[in-house]
Amino acid sequence: MRASRFVVLALFAVLVTVPTLAGEASKDAAGSAAFPSSPASVLSAMDTKADPCQDFYRYACGGWLDKTQLPPDQSRWGRGFAEIEERNREELRDILVAAAKEQGGDAGRAKLGAFYSACMEEDKVEKAGADPLKPLLKEIDDVKDAASLMAMAAKLQGYLVPVLFRVRVQGDFKNPDLAIASFSQGGLGLPDRDYYLKDDDRSKQMRADYQAHMTKMFQLLGEPEEAAKKHAGRVFNLELELAKVSRPRAEMRDPNKTYNKLDIDGLKKLTPALDWTRFLTTTGYPSVKDINVGVPEFFQGLEKQVTSTDPETLRAYLRWHLVLATAPLLSKAFQDENFDFYGKKLSGQKEQQARWKRCVEATDSSLGELLGQEFVKQYFPGDSKAIAGELIGRIEAAFEANLPSLTWMDDATRARASAKLKALKNKVGYPDKWRDYSKLAVKKGDYFASSLAARRFAFDFEENKIGKPVDKGEWGMTPPTVNAYYNPLLNEMVFPAGILQPPFFDRGFPMAMNFGGIGMVMGHELTHGFDDQGRKFDPTGKLTEWWEPSVSAKFDERAKCVSDLYSSYEVQPGVKLNGKLTLGENIADLGGIKQAFVAYKKWAKEHPETDKPVLEGMTNDQLFFVGFGQTWCSLQTPEVERMLVTTDPHSHPKYRVTGPLSNFPSFSSAFQCAEGTPMKRKDACEVW
């Protein structure tokens, strides 16, 4: 099961010390000399002529929306995540450029500098062309049947090329302290099964563009146009059949339906024509015994397709996914063609990002905790962990204090919810123990070889966990990441250093803004432990039913209110959100804003000296909601909006603001919204 993420959007970093929550520093946070520039920034992003009770998103973000243009190298951009990540990239680049210039010294920094430099040496990448792929392409030529296909698929999976299906390692849902292998549906080149199955004109055009793109990539590999076009059509038809046996994305959210643990004999019995022994042996991990098969019917459909498909098509399929997964490592022709389809046509992005940005991201992806150590040393103040931990404690206390008011819960389930909350673990900033990259060999001046080595290193790192106790100190994100997550199998919340900064967190901000920013993030992640997925895992991370049946039924009624509401929201004319796909994130948003506001009000009561409004004409309660809303001021291309409606479990940024607030009585009280106005719903949805 994936760690539930707070956002998909992420971008820019100004890592500053976070405000303390008591004593003199609290006075500073409420309005010291550090804050004078902030009121202008807050007000300039607003449209004060808009009615907050009619459209609060416009009220909070209208000024920013009117002034801001979507950067040509982005498909989406936001005042919160996007601007932070952009700054983070610049800081990471400074680290990497400095590391590349150093002679001798620290081995870790030398490895970072060598990897980044190899990526930036475009002349060498260009000169190599498609040559780095030749050894693997030659091996693909030896695929003759389903058995040899499984062996080659295993080889490619070892380089993180997700052919046929997806492979990962995670805790056993029924025994979360033990790591097991997990196989699930995949093997597609388009973002989702719906791209293959929808019958509207736009989807038909996208499928035609996809096949044209594959044709061009095959040609870049040296195939004549006629052969390339034939192979593209055959590969598409194979993927179409895999899409037909894939579950809709919303149905993949139920962990009870995606937990199907089999031993290796059970997997062989499920799909006897697939040579699993050869697959596991080729990966280098032949002793794997237990596997969670997320979607059994997908693997039965996969077996049918690969055993009935001619070898020429199977080879073309493998070639396609190899070049798709490695295009960013190859010469400009491959990169440009890859961007033309996935960047321009699929996402609406006008320009490819600068090479240095892509190389920073590649280094973070390949050597994330090595780079993260340098990032933390330079940009994450030493006391920030403790300060953030204190704020988390306040959010948790607010959640606990709210439990008795939930009339739909019985006392037994309420007590169990409290026990799960008390067992919750928090990780802040960076890992206590850093990952060891000493066995990863980076080859100076050879970006392709270094990248493949990093991919194999990552694959082995994961596969070596199988059958062993889960490392509860491990992180699923690198420290510079502008994001956060809740992991139900470990019952933990994780907040990387990258997100602990403005506009979410800053010692110069009033506490109303800090609670509305990072406080809401914390409340969101906490609520994930009790959303429609998280609630099915107990305090130890075990998938089990710990709710009384009558209480579960009442939860489902409230969840349906949320699902129905968000399904009514239109992103574009005729393009609505999928309330079932986004249900968990929407429940977390509704709960997050409530817990953050309650925690803020308690803090404010403890600090009456901060009662004076910080912004003229705006109460501090109103500032809390404006601060929250402005973290979601966003621009997106129409293309990426349509894609995210299909693939993203998070709602559109506008509805991440207006959805929770229109259902929250404290918001309508703060802005004195009348009954029946859009921001004060008569039949409000409330779960937590």
Side-chain angles (χ1 to χ4, degrees), residues 200-498:
D200 59 280
D201 290 341
R202 193 181 302 277
S203 297
K204 291 177 181 177
Q205 182 60 53
M206 190 61 69
R207 290 194 286 269
D209 290 341
Y210 176 53
Q211 292 179 68
H213 167 59
M214 278 195 284
T215 299
K216 292 177 183 177
M217 291 294 257
F218 281 134
Q219 288 181 271
L220 289 174
L221 289 177
E223 294 188 14
E225 181 178 1
E226 185 176 343
K229 187 174 182 179
K230 178 185 71 173
H231 289 149
R234 289 186 178 184
V235 170
F236 176 82
N237 288 335
L238 175 57
E239 291 184 354
L240 173 62
E241 295 306 315
L242 296 182
K244 289 177 180 178
V245 294
S246 299
R247 284 185 194 168
R249 194 170 291 248
E251 293 181 17
M252 296 293 290
R253 301 193 67 258
D254 186 345
N256 286 303
K257 293 181 179 179
T258 57
Y259 181 70
N260 306 284
K261 184 178 174 181
L262 299 173
D263 60 18
I264 189 62
D265 289 335
L267 182 56
K268 291 177 180 178
K269 184 177 179 180
L270 178 71
T271 52
L274 298 181
D275 193 338
W276 292 108
T277 298
R278 192 168 179 182
F279 178 86
L280 293 173
T281 299
T282 307
T283 65
Y285 299 90
S287 61
V288 171
K289 291 183 175 63
D290 295 323
I291 301 167
N292 180 40
V293 181
V295 187
E297 68 271 22
F298 172 82
F299 286 89
Q300 291 174 316
L302 173 66
E303 178 188 46
K304 179 181 177 181
Q305 290 308 311
V306 300
T307 54
S308 62
T309 299
D310 62 276
E312 182 183 357
T313 300
L314 296 178
R315 291 191 292 269
Y317 171 83
L318 294 174
R319 286 198 302 275
W320 159 238
H321 280 273
L322 172 61
V323 73
L324 170 60
T326 58
L329 315 179
L330 302 174
S331 59
K332 188 174 184 297
F334 288 94
Q335 295 172 45
D336 288 350
E337 178 55 37
N338 184 66
F339 174 73
D340 183 71
F341 179 72
Y342 287 100
K344 289 183 180 179
K345 291 185 174 66
L346 202 57
S347 302
Q349 188 173 319
K350 293 182 179 178
E351 295 178 5
Q352 194 165 190
Q353 288 189 341
R355 180 80 183 183
W356 73 264
K357 292 185 181 182
R358 288 177 277 152
C359 290
V360 166
E361 290 185 0
T363 309
D364 183 45
S365 177
S366 299
L367 298 159
E369 289 194 16
L370 198 58
L371 181 56
Q373 291 179 55
E374 300 298 322
F375 179 79
V376 166
K377 287 177 188 176
Q378 298 189 34
Y379 299 108
F380 192 60
D383 60 349
S384 295
K385 270 194 163 188
I387 296 167
E390 186 179 349
L391 211 163
I392 292 170
R394 287 182 173 270
I395 300 298
E396 292 175 345
F399 186 92
E400 173 102 40
N402 181 59
L403 288 175
S405 68
L406 299 177
T407 57
W408 55 271
M409 293 194 90
D410 64 6
D411 290 340
T413 308
R414 199 185 332 270
R416 293 170 197 148
S418 178
K420 181 169 183 177
L421 175 67
K422 287 181 172 63
L424 181 67
K425 297 170 286 294
N426 301 304
K427 296 176 180 175
V428 178
Y430 51 90
D432 293 329
K433 180 181 179 181
W434 295 102
R435 188 171 300 183
D436 180 7
Y437 292 89
S438 59
K439 294 183 179 179
L440 170 57
V442 173
K443 188 174 181 181
K444 286 187 176 181
D446 192 333
Y447 181 45
F448 189 91
S450 297
S451 294
L452 251 60
R455 292 181 181 202
R456 183 68 206 196
F457 177 85
F459 181 82
D460 288 337
F461 180 84
E462 292 297 316
E463 299 304 304
N464 277 318
K465 301 175 188 175
I466 296 174
K468 300 175 184 177
V470 169
D471 180 359
K472 297 185 178 181
E474 186 183 334
W475 280 50
M477 290 180 177
T478 65
T481 303
V482 188
N483 213 329
Y485 67 91
Y486 171 79
N487 184 343
L489 291 169
L490 294 177
N491 191 26
E492 67 176 9
M493 297 191 293
V494 182
F495 303 96

Side-chain angles (χ1 to χ4, degrees), residues 140-155:
I140 289 173
D141 286 340
D142 292 332
V143 170
K144 308 297 183 185
D145 50 26
S148 53
L149 171 73
M150 291 295 284
M152 194 63 215
K155 178 96 180 244

Side-chain angles (χ1 to χ4, degrees), residues 34-49:
F35 182 59
S37 63
S38 294
S41 174
V42 172
L43 289 171
S44 68
M46 297 174 64
D47 178 2
T48 55
K49 294 180 181 178

Side-chain angles (χ1 to χ4, degrees), residues 6 8 28 33 60 67 114 161 268 374 457 493 556 574 581 629 645:
F6 178 61
V8 167
D28 291 344
K67 298 191 291 269
V161 181
K268 291 177 180 178
E374 300 298 322
F457 177 85
M493 297 191 293
D556 290 340
L581 175 62
V645 164

Side-chain angles (χ1 to χ4, degrees), residues 394-395 397-402 515 591-605 624-625 664 666 688:
R394 287 182 173 270
I395 300 298
F399 186 92
E400 173 102 40
N402 181 59
F515 275 100
I593 196 66
K594 181 178 181 180
Q595 314 316 328
F597 186 74
V598 171
Y600 165 65
K601 293 297 287 183
K602 187 174 187 299
W603 180 90
K605 186 176 181 180
F624 169 93
F625 293 113
F664 189 31
S666 294
W688 293 102

